[in-house]
């Protein structure tokens, strides 16, 4: 019988889950259609019941509508016999019908009567005869009738049904209980009448009081760790535990009075150790916090906080998940208290923090979440502004520091964390220190008083740290937070760096790196008047301590103290008052202490840039120059610190008033040294110069030129004595080297003056550049190129007025060997070419062709850095034209493309290859170029219309080598490979939908080259086809492939399938296999990137491989349009170059594209 009932239950559940159609559809017919063929007894009973109901409706001439079926079924249930199967079928039928009844389909009186009818069979003795599914169906019907049809303004109308739902909401059967709780929650949510809400709340509270004794007993019952909660709940007291679940579901809807009572009872039930009810109690309290008014919670807040903190204090004996839940509830409790009475929150804050601080020593997951909660609490309730508003900081003696609730709470929280630190052996865990650091930071200046003992304790940890800086990382961060909060002056008062002359030692020297990283908003005066004298004392004592072995340590400490200069220049507060004194000190550093040059340079950058609202130092430096400044020289700039607009203006005036003298000193010292000016000083000079008027900068530059005339001294280079006397020759070489260094120094300084300079100064600087180009050896033009590029980038008028002259000057010199000069040279070409293309002058347009010609030739250069510079410049030209705001901006980019396309029809294969490479670079930048210019793709692919394929495949083995390996023939190979490279870039960067329209044309052009194995043509075509398959799908590629090449495509597909299969079969050793199998591809890829086609080098490459050439039996004729060199060409070409030992000759841009 039990098995039958279980099956009945499962089947009924299935029926309940399947929706039925409402409206005019006959429910009886739906049931017959669904279960007519079922052999299950409950289905036969259900169908028979439905048929009987329809028979009743037919006999009374009623329509087969849900309301009519409901009336018939209720009547039948009211007069039903004691047969459980019949009652079960009727309840199931009603659970299907009632949800289908439209609004108003059942009157309130009839619904009330129906609820009474439904309660009878499921209450009392009838309950024992029915299965879970039947009871659940009855409960569902009652809930639906109460919510949808009963009079919700009349308690008597719902009282019986409400009581039944309440009874079943604590039933021992889970499915019945959950259904009743859901219905009860919906009913509570539907009640609008305060009278009914009160009646319902009182009824629920009565249920709680009824089970109060059992709940109290269960809450005091301790559960040993590892045992199950269910085993602690006997069948007779399980109902009491379910009462708490009912409360959790309904407490948001209870009356305020009952909610307060319920909350009070829950607080009493909450013990300090885990019990069978702990999770239910916590869930109910959580619901009250989230849904109830503050007036409900706050009166009991102190009690609940006491209970919850007691539970957390025994966290080692309680489950971790409940401890974390309680921690979250403590945070919510303080939020509730703060919303109504801030002083109450502050009084409870130390207690909460104390209990949560104990969790910071737990397992990482618990400690991590506890630290997050503590940080939130500290950030919310401890703040410097609130502390200072209490006006009680007249004394800096903690014992005499009077204060209100804010200060008392902060003091107590500090005591908590001091105790936590004292309880730790060695370095505390990360979570303790991060929270402590935040506490110090939020205390601000008052941390000097309230957190004094904490800081001293941290200092002791640093002194005793045995594991080096890594073990004390978070301790250092805490002390760094103290530096930010109270400032270096007060911190050094607590932890002074002191020289002990007798023992030749220095205490607290470990503080220096922390100060360097964290000082912000300090005083220049303190550095000048205290740090510098202390550093001098250390360095002086170090001389006396040489014999004792402490001299080096003291000298290092002295140097490190002086190097705190950038930290004290990090948003200093007294620039107007003390910058003059600082300038004098900097001059001494520059002249006498070379180890301070970097610190001085960074300090000057920070002072200027921060007042220009550029917070990061060295913002004007390029990547190479940034790398020259060590990280230790740069303090960690706190984003919260910044100058107001008024303060910035005042500071800039001060900087400008003293910068002229400092700048003149820097120029004199650095140029007199005869050494190259460092990158950081170049930027520092530029920063200082930007604060000065252009006329002042010009005056300084002229004064420098009066000391040294680069044009005059350049003539000395031509007068070098050619005597065989080695001494004379060495002397002349030294003189020439010194001249070059001085000239370089002048140009470096001049380039720093370019920003914001007026026309007369720019002309003066340009004259220096021009003289360098005229008089200097090619190897000494780095400064000239850099200065000229800055002039062109900063001053648009200069490009217009000196356009032709500058182009002629640049083109008269070959590409420099060093990377920096090459980069600056092409930066000049970028500005000039963009100007020439945008110009309406035909002459300037023609000049732009000269630059383009230089770029195209360089793209085939043998040096990778030259190719990269040309690629970058070409891309920048395209970007500039695309972003141009001129009237004809839409015509500029097509104009550039047409200029490059013109080279495709050139007679030289080398030029053709360069033009295709240039187009590949732009296609990689903007794949839509080919879509907007269909003729461009045709022009490039037309290069494949050559009979070279037959020469490569057939004639090569038959023709004498002296004819085969001619320069022109090797260059044909180069540009064919370039075309394949272009196609690969196009295929790789195009969207799949765009590539679909190009497939047929591209495949027709490149597939003839799949029969040529020489020079990696076949492998390049294979790569391109694989990309097409990956993007467009196998079917699309098959349809676009000519019939004569179907066999090649099939081979590609089979190889792809084989690779995928091998990968799946070797999944366990995938990493090892892939690394080894892909190694050749990897090497080809990187070298493809740099593959360069120079005629001579390609010629040599072919010679090295002449014995490996072989002919292909699949000959193709010229009209078949042989394949191109694709972007992938470089990959294979580079593999060839690698073997032959030759330098690769392909633009770096292609590496990215491939």
């Amino acid at each position: 019988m039990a098995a039958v009932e279980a099956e009945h239950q499962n089947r009924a559940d299935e029926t309940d889950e399947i929706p039925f159609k409402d409206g005019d559809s006959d429910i009886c017919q739906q049931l017959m259609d669904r279960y007519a063929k079922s052999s299950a007894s409950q289905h036969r009973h259900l169908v028979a019941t439905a048929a009987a109901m329809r028979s009743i409706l037919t006999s009374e001439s009623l329509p087969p509508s849900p309301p009519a079926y409901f009336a018939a079924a209720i009547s039948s249930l009211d007069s039903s016999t004691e047969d459980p199967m019949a009652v079960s079928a009727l309840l199931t039928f009603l659970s299907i019908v009632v949800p289908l009844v439209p609004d108003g389909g059942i009157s309130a009186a009839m619904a009330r009567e129906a609820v009474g009818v439904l309660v009878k069979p499921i209450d009392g003795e009838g309950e024992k005869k029915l299965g879970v599914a039947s009871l659940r169906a009855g409960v569902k019907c009652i809930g639906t009738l109460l919510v949808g049809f009963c009079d919700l303004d009349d308690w008597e109308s719902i009282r019986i049904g409400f009581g039944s739902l309440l009874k079943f909401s604590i039933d021992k059967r889970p499915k019945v209980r959950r259904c009743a709780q859901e219905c009860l929650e919906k009913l509570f949510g539907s009640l609008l009448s305060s009278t009914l809400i009160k009646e319902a709340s009182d009824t629920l509270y009565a249920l709680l009081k009824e089970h109060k004794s059992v709940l109290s007993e269960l809450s005091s019952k301790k559960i040993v760790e590892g045992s199950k909660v269910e085993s602690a709940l006997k069948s007779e007291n399980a109902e009491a535990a379910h009462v708490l679940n009912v409360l959790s579901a309904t407490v948001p809807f209870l009356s305020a009075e009952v909610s307060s009572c319920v909350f009070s009872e829950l607080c009493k039930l909450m013990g300090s150790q885990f019990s069978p009810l702990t999770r239910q109690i916590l869930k109910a309290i959580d619901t009250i916090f989230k849904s109830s008014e503050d007036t409900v919670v706050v009166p009991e807040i102190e009690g609940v906080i006491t209970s919850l903190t007691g539970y957390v204090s025994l966290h080692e004996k309680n489950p971790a998940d409940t401890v974390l839940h309680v921690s979250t509830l403590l945070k919510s409790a303080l939020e509730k208290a703060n919303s109504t009475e801030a002083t109450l929150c502050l009084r409870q804050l130390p207690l909460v923090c104390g209990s949560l601080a104990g969790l910071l020593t737990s397992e990482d997951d618990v400690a991590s979440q506890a630290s997050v909660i503590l940080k939130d609490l500290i950030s919310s309730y401890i703040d410097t502004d609130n502390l200072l508003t209490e006006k009680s900081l007249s004394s800096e003696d903690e014992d005499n520091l009077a204060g209100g609730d804010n200060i008392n709470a902060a003091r107590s929280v500090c005591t908590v964390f001091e105790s936590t630190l004292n309880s730790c052996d060695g370095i505390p865990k990360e979570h303790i220190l991060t929270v402590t650091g935040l506490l110090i930071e939020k205390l601000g200046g008052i941390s000097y008083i309230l957190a004094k003992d904490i800081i001293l304790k941290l200092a002791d940890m640093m002194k005793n740290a045995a594991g080096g800086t890594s073990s004390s990382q978070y301790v250092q961060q805490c002390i760094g937070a103290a530096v930010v909060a109270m400032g270096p002056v007060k911190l050094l008062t607590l932890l002074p760096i002191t020289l002990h002359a007798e023992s030749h030692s220095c205490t607290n020297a470990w503080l220096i790196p922390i100060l360097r990283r964290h000082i912000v908003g300090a005083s220049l005066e303190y550095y000048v008047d205290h740090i510098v004298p202390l550093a001098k004392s250390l360095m002086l004592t170090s001389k006396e301590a040489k014999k004792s072995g402490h001299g080096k340590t003291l000298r290092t400490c002295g140097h490190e103290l002086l190097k705190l200069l950038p930290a004290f220049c990090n948003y200093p507060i007294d620039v107007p008052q003390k910058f003059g004194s600082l300038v004098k000190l900097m001059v001494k550093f520059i002249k006498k202490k070379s180890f301070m040059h970097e610190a001085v340079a960074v300090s000057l950058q920070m002072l200027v840039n921060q007042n220009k609202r550029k917070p990061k130092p060295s913002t004007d430096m390029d990547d190479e120059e940034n790398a020259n400044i060590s990280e230790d020289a740069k303090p960690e700039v706190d984003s919260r610190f910044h100058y107001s607009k008024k303060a910035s203006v005042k500071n800039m005036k001060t900087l400008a008033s003293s910068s002229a003298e400092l700048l003149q000193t820097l120029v004199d010292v650095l140029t007199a040294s005869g050494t190259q000016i460092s990158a950081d000083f170049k930027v520092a000079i530029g920063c200082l110069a930007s604060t000065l008027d252009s006329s002042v900068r010009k005056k300084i530059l002229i004064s420098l030129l009066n000391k040294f005339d680069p044009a005059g001294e350049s003539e000395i280079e031509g007068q070098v004595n050619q005597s065989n006397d080695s001494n004379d020759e060495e002397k002349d070489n030294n003189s020439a080297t010194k001249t070059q260094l001085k000239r370089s120094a002048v140009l470096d300084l001049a380039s720093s003056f370019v920003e914001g300079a007026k026309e007369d100064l720019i002309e003066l600087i340009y004259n220096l550049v021009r003289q360098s180009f005229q008089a200097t050896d090619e190897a000494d033009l780095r400064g000239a190129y850099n200065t000229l590029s800055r002039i062109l980038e900063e001053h648009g008028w200069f490009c217009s007025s000196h356009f032709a002259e500058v182009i002629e000057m640049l083109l008269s010199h070959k590409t420099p060997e060093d990377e920096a000069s090459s980069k600056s040279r092409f930066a000049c070409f970028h500005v000039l070419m963009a100007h020439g293309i945008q110009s309406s002058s035909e002459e300037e347009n023609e000049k732009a062709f000269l630059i383009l010609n230089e770029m195209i030739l360089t793209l085939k250069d043998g040096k990778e850095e030259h190719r990269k510079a040309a690629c970058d410049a070409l891309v920048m030209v395209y970007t500039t034209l695309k972003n141009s705001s001129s009237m004809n901006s839409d015509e500029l980019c097509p104009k550039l493309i047409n200029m490059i396309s013109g080279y495709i029809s050139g007679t030289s294969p080398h030029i053709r290859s360069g033009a295709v490479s240039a187009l590949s670079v732009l296609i990689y930048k903007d794949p839509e170029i080919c879509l907007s210019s269909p003729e461009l793709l045709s022009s490039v692919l037309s290069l494949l219309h050559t009979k070279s394929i037959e020469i490569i495949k057939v004639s090569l083995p038959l023709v004498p080598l002296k004819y085969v390996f001619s320069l022109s023939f090797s260059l044909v190979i180069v540009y064919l490979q370039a075309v394949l490279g272009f196609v690969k870039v196009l295929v790789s960067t195009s969207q799949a939908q765009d590539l679909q329209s190009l497939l047929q044309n591209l495949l027709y052009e490149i597939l003839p080259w799949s029969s040529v194995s020489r020079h990696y043509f076949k492998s390049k075509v294979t790569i391109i086809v694989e990309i097409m398959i990956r993007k467009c799908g196998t079917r699309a590629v098959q349809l676009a492939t000519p019939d004569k090449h179907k066999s090649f495509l099939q081979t590609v597909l089979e190889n792809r399938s084989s690779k995928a299969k091998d990968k799946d079969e070797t999944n366990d050793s995938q990493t090892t296999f892939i690394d080894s199998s892909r190694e050749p591809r990897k090497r080809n890829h990187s070298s493809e990137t740099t593959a360069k086609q120079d005629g001579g080098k390609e010629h040599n490459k072919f010679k090295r491989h002449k014995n490996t050439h072989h002919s292909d039996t699949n000959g193709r004729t010229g009209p078949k349009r042989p394949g191109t060199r694709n972007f992938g060409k470089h990959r294979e070409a580079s593999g060839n170059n690698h073997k032959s030992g030759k330098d690769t000759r392909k633009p770096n841009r292609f590496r990215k594209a491939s």
Side-chain angles (χ1 to χ4, degrees), residues 34 65 87 113 236 290 322 457 474 621 654 703 1052:
R34 184 175 296 182
S65 63
V87 173
E113 183 180 351
E236 61 268 17
K290 292 177 179 177
T322 61
K457 178 63 179 178
Y474 294 102
M621 299 174 65
T654 303
S703 68
V1052 173

Side-chain angles (χ1 to χ4, degrees), residues 978-996:
V979 177
L980 281 177
F982 173 89
V983 175
K984 184 180 177 185
V985 174
L986 176 61
V987 171
S988 299
T989 57
S990 296
Q991 296 293 327
Q993 60 269 25
D994 297 331
L995 187 57
Q996 291 277 4

Side-chain angles (χ1 to χ4, degrees), residues 516-672:
R516 181 175 58 245
R517 291 193 298 269
H518 294 92
I519 289 178
V520 59
S523 165
L524 296 177
E525 179 182 14
Y526 189 79
Y527 178 81
V528 174
D529 295 345
H530 294 84
I531 300 298
V532 174
L534 176 60
K536 289 181 179 178
S537 300
L538 288 169
M539 290 186 288
L540 182 61
T541 306
S542 69
K543 297 178 181 179
E544 303 172 358
K546 286 183 179 179
K547 294 182 180 180
S548 65
H550 297 294
K552 184 176 180 180
T553 303
L554 291 177
R555 184 171 62 256
T556 301
C557 288
H559 287 185
E560 293 301 315
L561 279 172
L562 290 180
K563 289 181 181 179
L564 290 177
L565 177 60
F568 279 91
C569 290
N570 187 17
Y571 291 99
I573 59 176
D574 56 352
V575 172
Q577 295 81 18
K578 288 296 176 180
F579 184 67
S581 302
L582 186 66
V583 166
K584 296 177 182 178
L585 186 62
M586 286 181 171
V587 170
K588 293 180 182 179
F589 287 157
I590 294 168
K591 291 181 177 180
K592 299 180 180 179
K593 301 188 183 300
S594 59
F595 69 87
M596 285 296 294
H597 283 186
E598 182 182 16
V600 171
V602 174
S603 300
L604 290 173
Q605 294 173 54
M606 295 177 68
L607 287 171
V608 175
N609 290 338
Q610 287 174 357
N611 284 285
K612 285 183 175 180
R613 298 183 179 269
K614 297 179 182 177
K616 294 183 180 179
S618 306
T619 52
D620 294 331
M621 299 174 65
D622 59 28
D623 295 338
E624 178 184 356
E625 293 169 340
N626 266 316
N628 293 331
I629 295 184
S630 65
E631 289 299 319
D632 288 342
K634 303 176 186 177
E636 296 178 357
V637 180
D638 195 308
S639 59
R640 298 171 303 161
F641 289 85
H642 59 86
Y643 290 121
S644 65
K645 185 176 181 180
K646 181 179 179 180
S648 294
V649 171
K650 189 175 182 180
N651 289 343
M652 286 301 291
K653 289 181 179 179
T654 303
L655 294 174
S657 64
S658 303
S659 292
E661 178 186 356
L662 181 59
L663 183 58
Q664 185 67 63
T665 303
L666 281 171
V667 169
D668 293 341
V669 172
L670 295 176
T671 54

Side-chain angles (χ1 to χ4, degrees), residues 801-1086:
S801 59
H802 296 77
F803 181 75
E805 179 185 1
V806 173
I807 289 180
E808 183 179 353
M809 181 174 66
L810 290 173
L811 293 178
S812 64
H813 291 71
K814 64 181 182 181
T815 301
E817 294 297 322
D818 66 290
E819 183 178 356
S821 298
S822 178
K823 185 177 179 180
S824 297
R825 184 171 188 260
F826 278 98
C828 296
F829 282 148
H830 152 229
V831 178
L832 292 167
M833 185 174 177
H835 171 80
I837 294 176
Q838 294 178 82
S839 174
S840 58
S841 168
E842 185 176 347
E843 181 182 355
E844 292 188 346
N845 287 166
E846 292 177 358
K847 294 290 185 183
F849 269 106
L850 298 177
I851 299 175
L852 179 58
N853 190 67
E854 180 75 8
M855 289 184 176
I856 288 177
L857 289 173
T858 307
L859 286 175
K860 313 308 295 180
D861 191 272
K863 286 196 173 184
E864 180 179 346
E865 56 268 21
H866 294 172
R867 298 194 301 271
K868 184 178 186 305
C871 283
D872 291 342
L874 188 60
V875 171
M876 287 302 299
V877 171
Y878 183 83
T879 303
T880 301
L881 297 178
K882 191 171 185 178
N883 298 333
S884 173
S885 58
S886 61
M887 296 292 292
N888 60 339
S889 58
D890 295 339
E891 303 174 2
L892 297 178
C893 288
K895 184 176 180 180
L896 173 62
I897 300 301
N898 290 335
M899 291 170 63
I900 299 174
S901 301
Y903 286 86
I904 294 177
S905 59
T907 57
S908 167
H910 191 72
I911 292 296
R912 293 182 189 178
S913 175
V916 174
S917 298
L919 290 171
S920 299
V921 170
L922 297 184
I923 292 294
Y924 180 76
K925 172 69 177 177
D926 185 4
E928 295 184 1
I929 290 176
C930 276
L931 298 177
S932 59
S933 304
E935 67 282 357
L936 172 64
L937 182 59
S938 300
S939 299
V940 175
L941 295 179
S942 67
L943 294 176
L944 298 174
H945 302 174
T946 175
K947 294 185 179 180
S948 298
I949 187 170
E950 276 67 41
I951 298 175
I952 296 170
K953 291 166 47 181
V954 180
S955 303
L956 192 59
L958 306 176
V959 178
L961 292 180
K962 65 178 181 178
Y963 299 113
V964 172
F965 296 110
S966 65
L967 177 63
S968 60
F969 179 78
S970 64
L971 289 178
V972 168
I973 302 299
V974 170
Y975 86 72
L976 290 174
Q977 290 177 328
V979 177
L980 281 177
F982 173 89
V983 175
K984 184 180 177 185
V985 174
L986 176 61
V987 171
S988 299
T989 57
S990 296
Q991 296 293 327
Q993 60 269 25
D994 297 331
L995 187 57
Q996 291 277 4
S997 61
L998 304 175
L999 271 182
Q1000 187 170 5
N1001 190 25
L1002 290 175
L1003 287 169
Y1004 182 78
E1005 300 291 355
I1006 67 172
L1007 285 178
W1009 290 93
S1010 64
S1011 61
V1012 182
S1013 298
R1014 298 181 184 280
H1015 312 298
Y1016 296 96
F1017 286 133
K1018 181 176 181 178
S1019 61
K1020 294 174 187 301
V1021 174
T1022 301
I1023 292 173
I1024 295 173
V1025 173
E1026 287 179 342
I1027 297 173
M1028 289 177 172
I1029 294 172
R1030 187 169 63 249
K1031 285 198 168 188
C1032 301
T1034 302
R1035 181 62 178 167
V1037 177
Q1038 286 176 332
L1039 292 175
T1041 302
D1043 292 339
K1044 66 182 71 176
H1045 299 298
K1046 294 286 188 182
S1047 59
F1048 170 74
L1049 178 60
Q1050 185 61 32
T1051 302
V1052 173
L1053 293 173
E1054 290 173 357
N1055 289 337
R1056 281 172 55 84
S1057 176
S1058 176
K1059 289 178 183 178
K1061 183 178 180 181
D1062 291 343
K1063 183 176 180 181
D1064 292 338
E1065 291 176 351
T1066 59
N1067 190 47
D1068 294 338
S1069 58
Q1070 182 177 6
T1071 303
T1072 304
F1073 175 76
I1074 290 179
D1075 286 346
S1076 60
S1077 65
R1078 290 188 178 179
E1079 185 62 29
R1081 171 76 59 88
K1082 225 183 219 174
R1083 188 185 316 124
N1084 289 341
H1085 171 64
S1086 62

